[in-house]
Amino acid sequence: MEQLKTIGRELAMGSQGGFGQSKEFLELVKSIGEARSKAEEDRIVLHEIETLKRRISEPDIPKRKMKEFIIRLVYIEMLGHDASFGYIHAVKMTHDDTLLLKRTGYLAVTLFLNDDHDLIILIVNTIQKDLKSDNYLIVCAALNAVCRLINDETIPAVLPQVVDLLGHQKEAVRKKAIMALHRFYHKSPSSVSHLFSNFRKRLCDNDPGVMGATLCPLFDLITVDVNSYKDLVVSFVSILKQVAERRLPKGYDYHQMPAPFIQIRLLKILALLGSGDKLASEKMYTVVGDIFKKCDSTSNIGNAVLYECICCVSSIYPNPKLLEAAADVISRFLKSDSHNLKYMGIDALGRLIKISPEIAEQHQLAVIDCLEDPDDTLKRKTFELLYKMTKSSNVEVIVDRMIDYMISINDNHYKTYIASRCVELAEQFAPSNHWFIQTMNKVFEHAGDLVNIKVAHNLMRLIAEGFGEDDDAADSQLRSSAVESYLRIIGEPKLPSVFLQVICWVFGEYGTADGKYSASYITGKLCDVAEAYSSDETVKAYAVTALMKIYAFEIASGRKVDMLPECQSLVEELSASHSTDLQQRAYELQAVVSLDAHAVESIMPLDASCEDIEIDKNLSFLNSYVQQSLENGAQPYIPESQRSGVLDISNFRSQDQPEASMHGLRFEAYELPKAPATSRIPPASVAPSTELVPVPEPSYSRETHQVASVPSISDAGSTELRLRLDGVQRKWGKPTYSSPTSSTSNASQSTSNGVTQVDSAANVNSKARHTHDSRKPQAEITPEKQKLAASLFGGPSKTEKRPTSASHKVAKASSHAAEKSQAPKAAVVSNQATLEKINHQPPPDLLDLGEPTVTNSAPSVDPFKQLEGLLDPTQVTSTVNHGAVGATEAPDIMALYVGTPVGGQSSSAENSLPSNSYDVNLTSELSNLTSGTTNAGATLSTQFTKGPNPKDALEKDALVRQMGVTPSSQNPNLFSDLLG
């Protein structure tokens, strides 16, 4: 009777709107479902948005009505429209004390907001309060929100409460607390690094759900650090055994499989822990064998567990009985009618073939069937398997099938992938160089420009170096066959550019080498290529160079050269080409043709493509010429790094001081003004003594260039004082300057897993296997399939690659090129290390307010002669009288380049600013300079310049005179920096 009353109430609610929802909401869902176009649906949703905007902002809305509005907002967001105007109402609903409304609010905010939304801060306090609630349903809702909304910054706010909930009496709360900590680990691993022991404790939880949730964070931790969790192997094996023996409650079964998802996770963990560890793997053999026996293969979830068992067996230390059981499962997969199971079988076979190559031979006919299957995904997976099982005995069949498949597809991405696989297999397992060249021709012809250019270079190098066994006849035959094959191919239309480059190079090097083809015939073919592909400048460049080689070889051999009319027109056309490269090649061809036989033989020797070209980067052959020039009075070479900035004049005169004073960002403070010499005018006080405090000179690990200077009279007894800059705002960023350097190192690791027979697993039920195999009738085996299978699997199976003549050739060519470049590389590295120490570029001078004067090369005009022409000769020869009072100081031209003004001491510390003294009042400094001059009417004609540009220096000096400021020799550094 009660059930009838409940059904009646539900029917009544359905007639009014259904399960607590209003009729308006149901009409909205119905109208959207019946919309016939996207435009009609958008019109309905936009009308609903306008309605909700108006109604949700009304005062005193009932809670039940607000709950429906929030659900309608969720529906709008699910349809892809913006409902951000109602986010704040969902946040407010999370504060409600009613459980239904609070859970609705949490559901809405987890769907509306992301972890970096501005409204997250309004939910943190609510989450903290709900995590301490006595109602575990509220705690679960808060933990769900924690997993979705808490970010790196708010993790510390809720972490203590989440850790406390690991000991909650309700298993659902403990499970969600584990999930929250796992989420924290993904967001910020360092925030929960001290809590990893809690995962170990929860692994022994009485509830299987909590234990299963703990496996997820443990899997991530083991993936990062396997050795730290080796002690848990016994625990994981024990748990897996209990699950496989159906000791868990029935509620964890799925399609009559006992907790399959927990089994899959445990098998993944065991595969990590047992990889390369024999002792750990031996503890797993029994339980994995039991799963092979007991697992049901009639359901998808059972096949998934079996597939994970195969992956585990292929990862841990090999065991023969487990490998046999895995091979039986693979056989069932491959014989299935389901494409999904066949795909799993091919993938699993590719994993086991690395350990036991003999397994592939047992399933050769099944692999051939998958190779001919119309399912493209299955066919691609089969090619991956064939790639893994390739050896020298079956490389021809596999590569031919892969090339045929590459021709039949239109996907450029996968065509590039197949082409790279074919090239890799041909280079490693080629039975002969002739087959390698033919295979590369097919790949270039059908894959086109998708092939890497390095493949073309390797092919050209192989043809040039030959067999490498000092067999000239075999090398000549190889090159002749390459020329003949290219002469047949060159007539086909639309050949790839990379392939044409190889063809032109081979024609130029070996087109007339065997005397079978005349020079006019080969040059005619090359001219046809250049004319047919006139828009490809690279191909035309290769063709012109090949023409030059052929004519050079003809001239060197003493034969008369008759250039074909089409070749002459091609050279004339390229001589006027806009491409400078083609133009240069055409001029070189004309020049080579006009030379005699001896000169041509010297500059272009026959078959010299493999000769080493030694490059002397130090140009040591010019040492005698340089020495002779220096003896005749030439100036020595100055490195480029020392030519940027103001140079010391001593660098031009001697080699004793190789480092020049360069401009850069400096951090030492200016020296305070020295006491002036005896003057008629008493000097003004610099600053009160209370504002000056003695500061020790900071020591920096940098090299300073000492410059000779004239000592000052007021040097004795002076105490070095610095400005007190406490509290002064710093405006130029960090107090230090560094030029970071980055280095990238690429390391590659290669591991191999041997095969060792260990008999400690359970036996496999062979009778059941034979019974299962006998159910399905044997498919008819055609002679073609038998022949193909014999080609693929008939040869001996070895994991190592056989050293054939072609593979030995490619490897030898690579090692030969590496040996040729080894010695120059060592010299280059040592030279680069020396140059990096000498030619260290200084950081840019950010305080330089003048015009930049970058001198990357030596000036064509002598700056000394320029200055001698601009200045009065009497001034240049005059000297400065430091002892006389009020004497006018004449400029010292040498000081322009030394960087030290006469009458004051200078060091590297004087020309630099402290990192925290950029806001010194420059006006007060100028006034101090003016008041501290020795003579008000005296003028200083010394120009402060930074390079060989006297005109700018004179203009700046005139500008200073107009300002009425006379710089003193007591503090020239600040004034020179002001002028730039």
Side-chain angles (χ1 to χ4, degrees):
M1 194 67 179
E2 292 295 331
Q3 294 179 352
L4 291 177
K5 291 182 180 180
T6 303
I7 294 174
R9 285 196 299 267
E10 291 179 354
L11 290 176
M13 291 174 62
S15 62
Q16 298 176 359
F19 303 103
Q21 306 301 329
S22 65
K23 191 175 182 180
E24 297 177 2
F25 180 68
L26 296 181
E27 289 293 335
L28 171 66
V29 176
K30 182 180 178 181
S31 60
I32 290 177
E34 295 175 352
R36 299 183 178 181
S37 64
K38 185 66 169 62
E40 183 179 357
E41 176 187 308
D42 292 343
R43 180 181 57 80
I44 296 171
V45 174
L46 292 176
H47 181 267
E48 178 67 16
I49 290 174
E50 295 297 328
T51 303
L52 288 176
K53 282 183 179 179
R54 183 180 68 256
R55 299 183 63 181
I56 204 170
S57 59
E58 295 177 357
D60 301 333
I61 300 178
K63 293 183 178 180
R64 180 183 175 186
K65 205 69 175 176
M66 179 60 72
K67 172 176 169 291
E68 180 187 327
F69 289 162
I70 297 298
I71 295 175
R72 288 158 76 170
L73 289 174
V74 171
Y75 192 60
I76 290 172
E77 285 270 335
M78 290 170 59
L79 294 175
H81 293 267
D82 182 26
S84 57
F85 62 90
Y87 289 176
I88 188 63
H89 298 282
V91 173
K92 291 179 180 179
M93 187 165 286
T94 60
H95 303 164
D96 201 286
D97 295 333
T98 306
L99 175 61
L100 183 60
L101 297 180
K102 182 180 288 291
R103 296 183 66 178
T104 303
Y106 274 129
L107 173 64
V109 295
T110 53
L111 296 175
F112 288 157
L113 309 180
N114 49 27
D115 56 1
D116 59 350
H117 199 276
D118 296 337
L119 295 178
I120 294 297
I121 195 65
L122 301 179
I123 309 176
V124 174
N125 289 335
T126 305
I127 291 177
Q128 288 178 326
K129 183 185 69 173
D130 292 339
L131 289 176
K132 299 177 182 179
S133 175
D134 297 333
N135 190 340
Y136 80 96
L137 295 176
I138 294 179
V139 177
C140 290
L143 287 173
N144 288 336
V146 164
C147 294
R148 293 294 301 271
L149 301 179
I150 296 301
N151 52 28
D152 300 350
E153 299 177 355
T154 52
I155 284 177
V158 298
L159 183 60
Q161 292 92 328
V162 173
V163 174
D164 293 340
L165 292 176
L166 292 175
H168 200 275
Q169 59 182 355
K170 286 290 184 179
E171 61 276 1
V173 176
R174 299 198 301 271
K175 177 180 176 181
K176 291 184 181 296
I178 290 290
M179 296 169 61
L181 290 179
H182 190 196
R183 177 66 172 177
F184 294 165
Y185 174 75
H186 285 167
K187 285 287 183 181
S188 177
S190 60
S191 63
V192 294
S193 59
H194 60 289
L195 301 173
F196 291 163
S197 59
N198 291 280
F199 296 138
R200 290 173 173 264
K201 296 177 182 178
R202 292 300 102 195
L203 188 63
C204 303
D205 197 283
N206 294 328
D207 185 73
V210 179
M211 180 271 300
T214 311
L215 295 177
C216 296
L218 282 176
F219 176 75
D220 292 344
L221 295 174
I222 294 172
T223 304
V224 175
D225 185 11
V226 178
N227 296 325
S228 299
Y229 298 89
K230 290 284 187 179
D231 58 319
L232 293 179
V233 172
V234 178
S235 301
F236 289 130
V237 170
S238 176
I239 294 172
L240 183 58
K241 184 177 181 181
Q242 296 179 43
V243 174
E245 293 176 354
R246 298 180 179 272
R247 297 185 185 179
L248 268 64
K250 289 289 185 181
Y252 291 93
D253 290 358
Y254 180 78
H255 287 269
Q256 299 181 356
M257 279 292 296
F261 302 105
I262 294 179
Q263 290 190 55
I264 291 174
R265 183 64 64 180
L266 285 170
L267 288 170
K268 288 180 179 292
I269 293 175
L270 291 179
L272 293 174
L273 294 174
S275 179
D277 190 342
K278 184 177 180 180
L279 295 177
S281 300
E282 288 176 351
K283 300 175 183 177
M284 311 173 189
Y285 291 156
T286 304
V287 66
V288 176
D290 292 341
I291 295 177
F292 272 125
K293 293 178 183 178
K294 299 177 181 179
C295 193
D296 183 17
S297 60
T298 59
S299 61
N300 287 334
I301 191 63
N303 291 325
V305 175
L306 287 174
Y307 171 77
E308 202 60 49
C309 285
I310 297 174
C311 296
C312 180
V313 169
S314 64
S315 298
I316 64 178
Y317 202 82
N319 177 266
K321 294 185 178 181
L322 290 182
L323 291 176
E324 184 181 353
D328 293 338
V329 175
I330 290 174
S331 177
R332 295 201 299 268
F333 286 166
L334 293 176
K335 292 178 181 179
S336 174
D337 295 332
S338 172
H339 284 123
N340 293 332
L341 293 182
K342 285 184 177 180
Y343 186 93
M344 290 171 56
I346 293 293
D347 183 78
L349 189 59
R351 294 174 182 271
L352 288 186
I353 202 173
K354 301 176 183 178
I355 304 174
S356 179
E358 295 81 7
I359 295 178
E361 297 180 5
Q362 304 173 11
H363 310 289
Q364 46 186 328
L365 294 178
V367 173
I368 298 302
D369 291 337
C370 294
L371 193 62
E372 297 175 353
D373 196 279
D375 190 301
D376 196 58
T377 305
L378 181 59
K379 188 180 296 184
R380 294 185 179 185
K381 197 65 179 178
T382 307
F383 278 120
E384 284 291 320
L385 173 63
L386 294 179
Y387 169 78
K388 295 177 182 178
M389 56 184 289
T390 303
K391 48 185 178 287
S392 58
S393 60
N394 60 8
V395 63
E396 299 181 43
V397 180
I398 292 178
V399 171
D400 289 343
R401 295 299 295 264
M402 294 177 74
I403 291 177
D404 293 339
Y405 178 68
M406 181 185 67
I407 297 173
S408 64
I409 61 177
N410 296 322
D411 186 359
N412 286 339
H413 176 74
Y414 196 67
K415 183 178 287 189
T416 305
Y417 180 75
I418 290 290
S420 64
R421 293 292 197 186
C422 293
V423 171
E424 185 178 350
L425 293 178
E427 289 180 349
Q428 292 178 357
F429 304 103
S432 64
N433 282 0
H434 179 75
W435 178 87
F436 177 78
I437 292 175
Q438 297 299 326
T439 303
M440 290 298 99
N441 291 347
K442 291 181 182 179
V443 173
F444 278 120
E445 185 178 356
H446 298 291
D449 295 325
L450 302 176
V451 185
N452 195 336
I453 190 64
K454 294 182 180 179
V455 178
H457 295 164
N458 292 337
L459 178 59
M460 289 187 283
R461 183 176 59 189
L462 175 65
I463 296 174
E465 295 182 351
F467 287 93
E469 299 173 356
D470 296 332
D471 190 355
D472 295 337
D475 294 345
S476 300
Q477 184 181 0
L478 172 68
R479 294 158 185 168
S480 299
S481 62
V483 172
E484 291 177 0
S485 63
Y486 292 154
L487 286 175
R488 291 193 302 267
I489 295 174
I490 201 169
E492 298 182 5
K494 295 183 180 180
L495 291 174
S497 176
V498 178
F499 194 27
L500 287 170
Q501 295 171 24
V502 177
I503 292 175
C504 292
W505 184 87
V506 172
F507 283 170
E509 290 285 342
Y510 310 108
T512 60
D514 56 354
K516 188 175 181 180
Y517 301 100
S518 63
S520 60
Y521 179 75
I522 300 296
T523 53
K525 290 292 185 181
L526 291 171
C527 292
D528 294 340
V529 171
E531 182 180 358
Y533 299 90
S534 57
S535 59
D536 194 335
E537 292 187 359
T538 306
V539 173
K540 291 169 70 176
Y542 269 81
V544 173
T545 303
L547 288 173
M548 182 169 56
K549 291 178 183 179
I550 292 175
Y551 288 135
F553 298 155
E554 291 294 309
I555 294 173
S557 61
R559 290 186 289 269
K560 184 180 179 181
V561 173
D562 293 329
M563 189 177 292
L564 297 177
E566 53 265 29
C567 293
Q568 293 179 355
S569 60
L570 175 64
V571 172
E572 292 175 358
E573 177 189 351
L574 297 183
S575 299
S577 174
H578 293 289
S579 173
T580 56
D581 179 57
L582 294 177
Q583 203 175 70
Q584 180 180 353
R585 292 173 189 263
Y587 286 133
E588 288 176 355
L589 174 58
Q590 293 175 348
V592 168
V593 173
S594 62
L595 296 175
D596 58 354
H598 179 71
V600 170
E601 186 178 3
S602 300
I603 63 175
M604 297 193 70
L606 183 64
D607 195 15
S609 57
C610 297
E611 296 294 331
D612 294 335
I613 300 176
E614 297 181 0
I615 301 175
D616 186 4
K617 294 188 176 182
N618 295 326
L619 305 179
S620 58
F621 56 90
L622 294 176
N623 288 341
S624 59
Y625 173 77
V626 172
Q627 186 64 28
Q628 183 180 359
S629 299
L630 291 175
E631 292 175 356
N632 294 335
Q635 294 182 355
Y637 174 75
I638 300 174
E640 184 179 355
S641 61
Q642 298 184 13
R643 280 181 262 144
S644 58
V646 177
L647 299 178
D648 191 346
I649 191 63
S650 60
N651 289 327
F652 292 94
R653 298 299 176 87
S654 67
Q655 296 293 324
D656 296 333
Q657 297 176 350
E659 292 184 0
S661 60
M662 290 173 276
H663 281 273
L665 187 60
R666 300 174 179 174
F667 304 100
E668 296 84 359
Y670 279 123
E671 278 194 359
L672 292 175
K674 305 293 189 305
T678 307
S679 175
R680 297 187 182 94
I681 303 175
S685 60
V686 179
S689 60
T690 57
E691 296 182 2
L692 296 175
V693 294
V695 178
E697 181 70 19
S699 61
Y700 298 98
S701 58
R702 53 178 291 177
E703 297 179 359
T704 57
H705 184 64
Q706 300 297 335
V707 182
S709 60
V710 180
S712 175
I713 298 175
S714 60
D715 223 8
S718 62
T719 303
E720 187 177 5
L721 300 179
R722 297 300 174 92
L723 288 175
R724 180 186 297 171
L725 299 175
D726 298 340
V728 179
Q729 183 180 3
R730 185 172 66 246
K731 298 183 179 180
W732 284 81
K734 297 181 178 180
T736 59
Y737 180 85
S738 62
S739 56
T741 58
S742 63
S743 63
T744 306
S745 62
N746 297 327
S748 62
Q749 298 178 352
S750 175
T751 61
S752 62
N753 193 3
V755 180
T756 305
Q757 294 185 355
V758 180
D759 297 332
S760 62
N763 295 325
V764 181
N765 192 351
S766 59
K767 177 184 285 187
R769 181 175 70 252
H770 293 310
T771 304
H772 178 78
D773 294 343
S774 62
R775 296 177 194 169
K776 191 174 180 179
Q778 184 69 23
E780 183 180 357
I781 302 175
T782 61
E784 290 79 5
K785 287 186 179 180
Q786 291 181 351
K787 185 178 180 180
L788 181 59
S791 301
L792 289 174
F793 304 93
S797 301
K798 290 184 179 181
T799 55
E800 64 273 5
K801 301 167 184 176
R802 293 189 171 185
T804 61
S805 59
S807 60
H808 176 71
K809 166 57 33 201
V810 177
K812 185 171 183 180
S814 302
S815 62
H816 181 60
E819 289 174 2
K820 290 177 182 178
S821 60
Q822 189 66 28
K825 280 184 180 179
V828 170
V829 170
S830 61
N831 291 336
Q832 287 180 353
T834 307
L835 289 176
E836 286 177 359
K837 292 180 180 179
I838 298 176
N839 302 335
H840 179 66
Q841 285 286 354
D845 190 359
L846 300 181
L847 302 179
D848 184 8
L849 304 178
E851 297 179 358
T853 57
V854 180
T855 58
N856 292 327
S857 60
S860 58
V861 182
D862 191 356
F864 300 104
K865 295 182 179 179
Q866 278 188 328
L867 289 175
E868 289 174 0
L870 290 173
L871 300 175
D872 189 1
T874 59
Q875 293 181 353
V876 177
T877 58
S878 62
T879 58
V880 180
N881 187 3
H882 294 280
V885 179
T888 303
E889 296 179 353
D892 186 3
I893 301 303
M894 306 299 288
L896 292 174
Y897 293 87
V898 176
T900 307
V902 179
Q905 289 184 345
S906 176
S907 64
S908 297
E910 293 181 25
N911 297 326
S912 56
L913 276 175
S915 59
N916 56 356
S917 62
Y918 296 126
D919 51 355
V920 178
N921 193 340
L922 300 181
T923 307
S924 62
E925 291 287 345
L926 289 176
S927 62
N928 291 336
L929 287 171
T930 307
S931 61
T933 55
T934 57
N935 191 354
T939 59
L940 181 64
S941 60
T942 302
Q943 295 97 14
F944 298 93
T945 61
K946 298 183 64 176
N949 192 353
K951 184 177 178 181
D952 295 342
L954 294 175
E955 290 178 356
K956 293 176 181 178
D957 189 69
L959 179 62
V960 173
R961 290 172 179 170
Q962 292 177 5
M963 294 170 59
V965 179
T966 303
S968 171
S969 62
Q970 299 165 358
N971 192 1
N973 296 316
L974 177 62
F975 204 74
S976 61
D977 280 347
L978 287 175
L979 295 180

